[in-house]
Amino acid sequence: MSNVIKRLLCADAALVLLGAIFRIYHWPGGGLTIFVGACLGIILLLCAAFGSRPINALRVLFCLGGSLFIIGYMFKFFHWPGGTLIFLTTAILGIILLLYTAIFHKFDK
């Protein structure tokens, strides 16, 4: 993942957290900030997944899981239907990926 995408993801996370603060205190613009930040985060994660060559299947799965998590967060936060199912799917995928990585992945030293 390039440094530019990493920096943009950090700035995007700050944007989403700022939107959450606005939403919690019922200040105007919180919902729009969260929505824009979440959509931008999904786009950045997909760019990170498919932007590097060669394409790593594990990285793609983790980025897709992160995108699903963001979508589930957005659905739950805005009380849209289906948020619970998306979170359940993301949790199962996350558990499988983390266990696979912990057991079979060779970490760099």
Side-chain angles (χ1 to χ4, degrees), residues 55-100:
I55 293 177
N56 184 347
L58 194 58
R59 176 182 291 159
V60 170
L61 287 174
F62 269 109
C63 289
L64 288 176
S67 296
L68 275 175
F69 180 80
I70 292 171
I71 292 169
Y73 164 80
M74 200 165 44
F75 271 58
K76 291 295 276 185
F77 206 79
F78 290 116
H79 305 288
W80 295 339
T84 304
L85 181 64
I86 295 170
F87 264 129
L88 179 63
T89 305
T90 304
I92 292 170
L93 176 65
I95 290 169
I96 292 169
L97 287 174
L98 289 171
L99 286 176
Y100 173 81

Side-chain angles (χ1 to χ4, degrees), residues 12 15-16 32-43 70-71 73-74 78:
D12 181 60
L15 181 68
V16 170
L32 180 64
T33 306
I34 290 172
F35 183 77
V36 169
C39 291
L40 182 63
I42 292 168
I43 292 168
I70 292 171
I71 292 169
Y73 164 80
M74 200 165 44
F78 290 116

Side-chain angles (χ1 to χ4, degrees), residues 8-22:
L8 287 173
L9 278 170
C10 289
D12 181 60
L15 181 68
V16 170
L17 291 174
L18 180 68
I21 291 170
F22 272 59

